[in-house]
């Protein structure tokens, strides 16, 4: 089977997943206590009779369920995720405004964690049983067990309040009016703490995974053959072991990249980072269900997208994929 | 049993983890004796730093509530939610995994698609949405955590069933005419127990992290004190009162770490063939 048909099949599967999520969302709104129109309008706020009737009309809430579902799915397909009555803006535009900040944060955290995680894991595996290994394994285990939001708070306390090295709030200095390079530098300074705290947990995940995977591959026959042939140990680790050991790590990274949105809710909330994670927290506080489900849909869509990218990367890294 | 303990004890980390875990369980069990008052009650002046007054080693929070009491009573909620949600997730995962692995074919395909779907959805985001929509309570939190954590169990159990199904002792049971239900429950299932137990101990750890994250975001049960809630409530006064968020965080860290260590020890003890290198 060719690469193209493999990717097409994955694409179709991804689309089905998205459709299923839309349907799930549809039923979740209806599962919330109270009338769906009330729920969409927000519990308090502008829910007078006229307004509710308008909503019922617009979403066909007095029509049979399957017609309601059709209207809802049609809306999502045309990127209409409804209206946030709390913020008086469309959900799509609210998410659109906040998405770049989240992508910057999660993208940076992703690169940091993958790079350091693989490096640490490989180092531990190469020195298995020695003190380097024990140190890396222990540190990874501790960060793996630490709540993300708590690390974030402690980082603010240490680096922002106590040492005063880095800003721990927002994405730009309020009222500084930086332009050009100074503006970019300002954003980067604000990015350091949130990206590092979000990345720490995943660094631990990748380090553990890389170590375990490498130890497994080291036992394989072809590695023994390479050793017997007298290939230099460093070359065995880099070429024979690491390349194959990275396959499961890539799969995991693909899954985690999308899942990072979840971590971003916590990090962005603590650091007041203006992304969709923070938006989700605000939606929670205001019980703005339309917005909440919109963000849920977009983050699911991102997971599907990242899984597709992973599949694509896989076809290049693992030649066996093509024949299977 | 003695063999089991010997293999477990060979892993030093696991023994330390078990020690911490026992301490946390004792703290939870003795909470009503150590702190008979409700952890919500105001007992001292607000913002009392730790170690400054006898009996209030951990200080008080913004409303003068004893942080020590919160820690003890929070341990109950963390353990309760962690264990119950893991049990619920196990029952979903084991059932679906067993059916898929034992019967195979179309049922397997359908169940695995279903599992994959739940694995694709960003799980923390789904947990947030579920708790927010069904209103925060112990029940909704437990259900939400269970719903996002069962897929790995289903996959694990399915894999075990697939490989066990073709083994001789299972074939023999088929030949002597045992019913499918009986074979699944008495022949195959007991043999999948070891990996499931190891996975369960790690799931409790993840569930506790999830619960604390939800409570931190204000999605905790409003009637029960929890570690995540304490940190969330102290977030705005971080600069003035570090101890309010510091101690509950350490409590979460130690509990989750202990469970992970115990999980590794169980793995060494229950799956000796797979015992990891480097020890």
């Amino acid at each position: 089977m060719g690469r193209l048909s493999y990717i097409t099949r994955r694409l179709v599967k991804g689309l089905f997943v998205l459709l299923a999520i839309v349907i799930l969302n549809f039923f979740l709104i209806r599962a919330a206590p109270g009338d769906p129109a009330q729920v969409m309008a927000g519990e308090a706020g502008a829910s007078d009779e006229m307004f509710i009737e308008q909503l019922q009309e617009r979403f066909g809430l007095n029509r049979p369920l399957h017609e309601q579902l059709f209207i809802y799915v049609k809306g999502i397909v045309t990127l209409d995720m409804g209206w946030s009555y709390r913020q008086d803006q469309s959900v799509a535009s609210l998410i659109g405004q906040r998405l770049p900040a989240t992508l910057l944060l999660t993208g940076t955290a992703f690169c940091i964690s993958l790079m350091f995680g693989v490096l640490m894991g490989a180092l531990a595996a190469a020195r298995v049983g020695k003190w380097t290994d024990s140190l890396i394994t222990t540190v990874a285990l501790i960060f793996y067990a630490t709540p993300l939001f708590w690390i974030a708070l402690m980082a603010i306390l240490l680096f922002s309040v106590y040492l005063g090295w880095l800003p721990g709030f927002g994405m730009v200095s309020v009222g500084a009016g930086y332009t050009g390079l100074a503006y970019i530098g300002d954003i980067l300074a604000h990015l350091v703490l949130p990206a590092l705290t979000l990345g720490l947990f995943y660094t631990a995940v990748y380090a553990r995974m890389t170590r375990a995977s490498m130890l497994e591959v080291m036992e394989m026959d072809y590695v023994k053959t390479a050793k017997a042939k007298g290939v230099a140990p460093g070359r065995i680790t880099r070429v024979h072991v690491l390349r194959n050991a990275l396959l499961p790590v890539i799969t995991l990274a693909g899954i985690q990249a999308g899942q990072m949105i979840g971590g971003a809710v916590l990090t962005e909330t603590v650091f007041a980072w203006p992304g969709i994670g923070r938006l989700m927290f605000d939606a929670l506080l205001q019980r703005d269900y339309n917005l909440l489900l919109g963000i849920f849909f977009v983050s699911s869509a991102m997971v599907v997208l990242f899984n597709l990218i992973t599949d694509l990367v896989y076809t290049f890294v693992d030649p066996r994929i093509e024949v299977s | 049993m003695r063999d089991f303990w010997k293999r477990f004890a060979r892993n030093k980390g696991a023994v330390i983890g078990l020690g911490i875990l026992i301490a946390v369980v004792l703290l939870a069990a003795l909470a009503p004796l150590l702190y008979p008052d409700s952890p919500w009650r105001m007992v001292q002046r607000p913002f009392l730093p730790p170690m400054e007054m006898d009996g209030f080693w951990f200080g008080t929070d913004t409303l003068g509530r004893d942080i020590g009491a919160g820690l003890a009573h929070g341990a109950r909620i963390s353990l309760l939610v962690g264990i119950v949600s893991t049990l619920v997730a196990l029952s979903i995962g084991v059932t679906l995994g067993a059916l898929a692995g034992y019967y195979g074919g179309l049922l397997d395909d359908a169940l695995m698609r279903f599992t994959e779907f739940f694995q694709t959805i960003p799980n923390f985001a789904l947990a947030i949405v579920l708790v927010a929509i069904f209103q925060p309570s112990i029940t909704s939190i437990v259900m939400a955590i269970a719903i996002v954590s069962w897929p790995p169990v289903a996959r694990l159990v399915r894999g075990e069933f697939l490989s066990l199904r073709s083994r001789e002792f299972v074939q023999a049971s088929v030949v002597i005419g045992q019913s499918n239900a009986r074979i699944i429950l008495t022949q195959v299932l007991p043999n999948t127990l070891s990996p499931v137990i190891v996975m369960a101990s790690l799931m409790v750890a993840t569930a506790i992290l999830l619960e604390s994250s939800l409570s931190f975001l204000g999605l905790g049960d409003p009637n029960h004190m929890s570690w995540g809630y304490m940190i969330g409530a102290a977030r705005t006064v971080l600069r003035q009162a570090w101890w309010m968020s510091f101690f509950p965080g350490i409590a979460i860290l130690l509990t989750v770490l202990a469970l992970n260590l115990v999980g590794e020890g169980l793995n060494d003890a229950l799956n000796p063939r797979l015992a990891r290198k480097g020890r």
Side-chain angles (χ1 to χ4, degrees), chain B residues 10-115:
Chain B
R10 208 177 296 149
N11 185 336
K12 260 180 274 158
V15 177
I16 298 174
L18 189 62
I20 302 174
L21 194 60
I22 290 173
V24 177
V25 172
L26 282 179
L27 180 69
L30 298 178
L33 295 175
L34 291 169
Y35 297 97
D37 275 344
S38 155
W40 300 96
R41 239 190 85 186
M42 299 156 201
V43 286
Q44 251 301 328
R45 71 175 173 87
F47 288 92
L48 179 74
M51 301 304 215
E52 231 167 56
M53 193 179 285
D54 272 357
F56 296 95
W57 305 114
F58 298 99
T60 64
D61 72 0
T62 50
L63 295 172
R65 298 176 293 208
D66 187 353
I67 298 211
L71 290 177
H73 286 267
R76 297 167 78 87
I77 292 307
S78 286
L79 291 178
L80 177 80
V81 171
I83 292 168
V84 178
S85 61
T86 299
L87 289 178
V88 177
L90 282 180
S91 52
I92 306 174
V94 169
T95 312
L96 297 188
L99 290 176
Y102 187 78
Y103 289 104
L106 219 64
L107 183 67
D108 181 27
D109 269 352
L111 287 177
M112 280 304 108
R113 286 293 101 78
F114 186 65
T115 310

Side-chain angles (χ1 to χ4, degrees), chain A residues 13 16-18 20-21 24-25 28-29 31-33 43 128-129 133 137-138 141-150 152-154 156-157 160-161 168-169 201 208 211 215 218-219 255 258-259 261-263 265-266 269-271 278 280-281 284-285 287 289 292-293 296 299-300 303-304 307, chain B residues 113 116-136 202 206 209-219 227-229 231-232 234-236 238-243 245-258 260-261 264 276-279:
Chain A
K13 203 170 141 193
F16 268 108
V17 171
L18 282 186
I21 290 166
L24 179 71
N25 265 356
L28 279 175
I29 291 191
E43 265 158 27
V128 68
D133 176 33
T137 315
T138 312
L141 194 65
I142 290 176
F143 283 123
Y144 189 65
T146 318
L148 191 58
F149 55 90
W150 186 72
L153 288 172
M154 293 304 119
I156 292 180
L157 206 53
S160 197
V161 179
F169 186 87
F201 173 79
R208 284 162 64 97
R211 177 179 179 276
L215 289 183
M218 277 175 185
E219 293 293 302
I255 296 168
Q259 298 273 4
I261 292 279
V265 178
L266 296 166
T269 302
V270 175
F271 288 102
R278 175 82 198 185
M280 193 169 196
F281 180 67
L284 263 182
L285 286 187
R287 295 288 185 266
Y289 293 109
L292 195 64
L293 290 171
F296 176 57
S299 49
S300 308
V303 176
V304 172
N307 285 354
Chain B
R113 286 293 101 78
E116 260 173 46
F117 172 69
F118 272 92
Q119 242 177 344
T120 308
I121 306 178
N123 54 36
F124 186 53
L126 177 62
I128 290 177
V129 167
L130 287 174
V131 177
I133 284 195
F134 293 102
Q135 308 303 319
L202 302 177
T206 315
L209 275 182
L210 270 173
E211 186 276 332
S212 70
S213 305
L214 288 170
S215 321
F216 173 76
L217 291 177
L219 289 173
W227 294 337
Y229 164 81
I231 301 176
R235 182 165 72 89
T236 45
L238 180 70
R239 278 148 219 264
Q240 301 92 300
W242 58 270
W243 63 90
S245 36
F246 180 76
F247 292 121
I250 292 289
I252 301 171
L253 167 61
L254 284 178
T255 312
V256 175
L257 184 66
N260 281 325
L261 289 169
E264 286 188 2
R276 283 152 311 120
K277 288 183 33 164
R279 298 203 174 269

Side-chain angles (χ1 to χ4, degrees), chain A residues 21-101:
Chain A
I21 290 166
V22 173
I23 294 172
L24 179 71
N25 265 356
F26 171 82
F27 284 108
L28 279 175
I29 291 191
R30 275 146 191 85
D35 180 64
Q38 296 272 13
V39 173
M40 280 184 214
E43 265 158 27
S47 46
D48 58 274
E49 290 281 318
M50 274 269 289
F51 183 61
I52 296 294
E53 258 171 46
Q54 275 176 6
L55 274 179
Q56 284 181 330
E57 188 58 38
R58 180 151 171 240
F59 293 98
L61 292 177
N62 28 29
R63 278 187 256 172
L65 202 63
H66 63 272
E67 277 180 43
Q68 290 182 32
L69 179 62
F70 182 73
I71 295 173
Y72 185 76
V73 173
K74 207 173 77 183
I76 299 281
V77 170
T78 53
L79 280 183
D80 172 12
M81 287 182 271
W83 191 261
S84 163
Y85 293 96
R86 293 287 179 145
Q87 312 229 11
D88 207 21
Q89 269 193 61
S90 79
V91 169
S93 81
L94 273 170
I95 293 176
Q97 288 159 18
R98 300 291 199 96
L99 200 55

Side-chain angles (χ1 to χ4, degrees), chain A residues 12 22 50 53 56 76 106 123 179 252 265 286 290-291:
Chain A
V12 172
V22 173
M50 274 269 289
E53 258 171 46
Q56 284 181 330
I76 299 281
T106 50
L123 196 65
T179 48
L252 184 74
V265 178
Q286 302 170 335
N290 250 353
L291 184 55

